[in-house]
Amino acid sequence: MLSSGLTAIVTEEEATGGHRALSGGSGASYDLTPEQQATYNILAVQTAFLVGATYIIMGVLRLGFVTIFLSHAVVSGFTIGAAVMIGMSQVKYILVFDVAQSSFLHESLVNIFKDIDQFNYKPSSST
């Protein structure tokens, strides 16, 4: 329902600037026009508000028991996926070189090992 509402507001062409996906799958980032960035920001805030309102309503109605119906595998998969995403986003700080971002794990790993020669194993210090 939410996605159909968003697609009624913003077409894929407007949201992605003509690209198939913002991540592009190649690790490249795309520059958005100011209008596209403004639309993206508005939609992000509206989505966050809707999620927050849903959580508050579920809390008031004491609907927390619904999470019992989520299997352990689903919860574990979500948690592991979040951990992998966070870990991969921190690799550039650990290796101390800029790693091209990608939406796909295998492409991120290729980008890391492709530029591994930029790894600076010596600590950076002013002395």
Side-chain angles (χ1 to χ4, degrees):
M1 184 167 105
L2 178 61
S3 64
S4 63
L6 294 177
T7 55
I9 297 170
V10 179
T11 64
E12 183 179 355
E13 180 73 23
E14 292 171 331
T16 62
H19 300 287
R20 296 304 298 161
L22 287 176
S23 67
S26 64
S29 62
Y30 300 112
D31 294 326
L32 299 176
T33 65
E35 295 84 19
Q36 291 171 332
Q37 186 64 50
T39 302
Y40 176 82
N41 293 343
I42 290 169
L43 291 175
V45 169
Q46 288 175 343
T47 303
F49 176 77
L50 286 173
V51 169
T54 303
Y55 279 179
I56 290 171
I57 291 169
M58 288 183 72
V60 168
L61 297 176
R62 303 187 55 85
L63 294 174
F65 69 91
V66 174
T67 59
I68 295 169
F69 298 114
L70 295 175
S71 70
H72 179 70
V74 170
V75 174
S76 295
F78 178 79
T79 306
I80 291 169
V84 168
M85 287 178 57
I86 292 169
M88 292 302 292
S89 70
Q90 299 303 310
V91 167
K92 64 182 175 182
Y93 302 113
I94 296 168
L95 298 178
V96 195
F97 70 87
D98 194 28
V99 178
Q101 296 286 322
S102 176
S103 296
F104 302 103
L105 177 63
H106 66 281
E107 289 180 357
S108 294
L109 292 172
V110 167
N111 291 336
I112 290 169
F113 289 108
K114 178 180 67 174
D115 298 328
I116 199 71
D117 58 334
Q118 296 179 17
F119 174 63
N120 182 8
Y121 60 90
K122 298 175 185 173
S124 60
S125 64
S126 60
T127 59

